[in-house]
Amino acid sequence: MAPSSQPAREPLVSLVVPVFNEIEAIDAFYERATQALGALEGMAYEIVFIDDGSVDGSYQRLAQFAKQNARIRVLKLSRNFGHQIAISAGIDFAKGDCAVIIDADLQDPPEVVADMIAKWREGFDVVYGVRSDRAGETPIKLATATMFYRLLGRLTNIHIPANVGDFRLMSRRVVEQLKQLREKDRFVRGLVSWVGFPQTSITYKRDRRFAGETKYPFRKMLKFAFDGITSFSTMPLKLATWTGYASAILAVLYLLSVFVQKLMGYTVDGWATIMVAMLFMGSVQLICLGILGEYLGRVFNEVKPRPMYIVEEDLTSGPDAPGA
């Protein structure tokens, strides 16, 4: 008797959703995301929510979703590890043939995922969303974001277009490569660009935040920008070396000016010697510190054997539930 043929498995898309204090938006996001994913033809889906230490009841609401829907998985991190770490945790647990990163504030529309999947089916491994319009964002934020990406492009060898965030689709092979990159100071959009493979973009209109306040005030945006630059460039370390060389040049110029003053009779005994010695020794110290920093800065964060994150609870009612 001929063996019975089993129907082919539908491709699976994993929606990776970091959540931190989004109780006001989470119900609306869940409704729109499940509707958008359920309307995909020939695709199954799962939604991986990562609760990043919420204190407003977001986790309890996500737990209810997991009990009601077998397609929902909820990871509760033991504390707030940060947005980029939460994304990385979701990528680690995503089981799909492709994975889409999206925030729960509904600024990035879940309906755009269908367009990303269409590009993925054409053969692209990464499909990132380019914002044609960024409603609700101040001119200062838009200007600083543009400056950051221009600076990042000049200081590094990776290319991240302007008006692009973490909202993107990644194929399974990109996900597997990202899972091997365990550096602690995460800049996910930079890592995705660094991995390579065929990449393309789609354009969409970014909406205003559905509810609540932004989780990226200016202080966090500044740290995020610094993490992005230092993750892919040693330029900040080299700045110390350049400062040392500049100080040495200034010391030489000052020494020449002292000779001129001496010839003209405008000088104070002992003052010139002390100042030149201080400038010269300071410049030598900065040069040495810059050289040491080139090496120490690269290994400091990686030598600490800490895990990137800690999962306190893993909730799902599906077949892959813990203990199932």
Side-chain angles (χ1 to χ4, degrees), residues 162-194:
N163 295 319
V164 171
D166 290 314
F167 183 36
R168 62 190 60 214
L169 176 147
M170 301 167 294
S171 68
R172 186 72 232 173
R173 64 175 178 174
V174 172
V175 168
E176 291 300 324
Q177 293 300 319
L178 287 176
K179 289 167 66 174
Q180 297 181 39
L181 305 178
R182 309 309 293 178
E183 55 198 71
K184 306 299 193 308
D185 297 320
R186 310 290 286 181
F187 185 60
V188 173
R189 64 194 72 170
L191 292 175
V192 174
S193 296
W194 180 87

Side-chain angles (χ1 to χ4, degrees), residues 27-264:
D27 283 297
F29 174 84
Y30 174 76
E31 181 178 353
R32 283 182 58 180
T34 51
Q35 287 181 356
L37 295 174
L40 296 174
E41 295 184 2
M43 292 286 294
Y45 75 87
E46 68 168 356
I47 303 179
V48 182
F49 288 103
I50 309 94
D51 181 76
D52 190 27
S54 297
V55 295
D56 66 345
S58 294
Y59 172 70
Q60 288 74 17
R61 192 72 184 109
L62 295 174
Q64 294 176 3
F65 296 158
K67 291 179 180 179
Q68 299 167 2
N69 190 341
R71 299 175 184 267
I72 305 302
R73 185 170 195 170
V74 180
L75 304 174
K76 176 178 173 58
L77 302 187
S78 61
R79 64 171 178 83
N80 178 253
F81 285 88
H83 182 258
Q84 299 294 289
I85 298 295
I87 289 175
S88 300
I91 291 174
D92 288 344
F93 283 83
K95 299 181 179 296
D97 299 285
C98 60
V100 179
I101 303 170
I102 187 172
D103 289 333
D105 56 14
L106 287 176
Q107 287 187 283
D108 299 323
E111 295 78 12
V112 177
V113 173
D115 298 328
M116 292 181 168
I117 289 177
K119 289 292 185 180
W120 170 65
R121 283 173 165 162
E122 292 177 12
F124 292 100
D125 286 279
V126 176
V127 185
Y128 50 85
V130 178
R131 307 154 180 166
S132 61
D133 183 41
R134 302 176 65 168
E137 297 188 2
T138 64
I140 293 178
K141 185 173 182 179
L142 296 176
T144 54
T146 301
M147 291 174 56
F148 165 67
Y149 284 113
R150 287 180 179 176
L151 181 63
L152 187 67
R154 289 181 178 274
L155 298 183
T156 69
N157 59 355
I158 63 170
H159 173 65
I160 301 178
N163 295 319
V164 171
D166 290 314
F167 183 36
R168 62 190 60 214
L169 176 147
M170 301 167 294
S171 68
R172 186 72 232 173
R173 64 175 178 174
V174 172
V175 168
E176 291 300 324
Q177 293 300 319
L178 287 176
K179 289 167 66 174
Q180 297 181 39
L181 305 178
R182 309 309 293 178
E183 55 198 71
K184 306 299 193 308
D185 297 320
R186 310 290 286 181
F187 185 60
V188 173
R189 64 194 72 170
L191 292 175
V192 174
S193 296
W194 180 87
V195 165
F197 299 112
Q199 304 194 9
T200 190
S201 66
I202 61 168
T203 303
Y204 73 101
K205 181 180 179 181
R206 198 178 200 217
D207 298 325
R208 293 177 179 271
R209 166 176 273 275
F210 180 81
E213 298 180 352
T214 178
K215 304 306 185 295
Y216 267 98
F218 182 75
R219 176 180 58 84
K220 285 190 175 181
M221 288 296 296
L222 193 62
K223 181 182 182 301
F224 182 65
F226 187 75
D227 286 343
I229 293 173
T230 54
S231 293
F232 295 93
S233 174
T234 59
M235 198 63 67
L237 294 173
K238 293 178 180 178
L239 183 61
T241 303
W242 294 344
T243 303
Y245 288 132
S247 298
I249 293 173
L250 289 176
V252 173
L253 293 177
Y254 185 77
L255 181 60
L256 294 176
S257 71
V258 168
F259 288 146
V260 174
Q261 293 176 38
K262 184 69 173 178
L263 293 175
M264 298 178 64

Side-chain angles (χ1 to χ4, degrees), residues 289-310:
L289 287 175
I291 295 173
L292 290 174
E294 290 279 358
Y295 295 92
L296 294 178
R298 300 181 185 187
V299 301
F300 174 69
N301 284 333
E302 303 305 323
V303 298
K304 295 177 289 189
R306 302 173 187 172
M308 190 186 305
Y309 57 85
I310 299 173

Side-chain angles (χ1 to χ4, degrees), residues 265-288:
Y266 301 108
T267 184
V268 178
D269 292 341
W271 172 256
T273 304
I274 294 174
M275 291 301 299
V276 171
M278 288 178 61
L279 284 172
F280 181 75
M281 292 303 299
S283 63
V284 171
Q285 290 172 0
L286 284 172
I287 292 172
C288 294

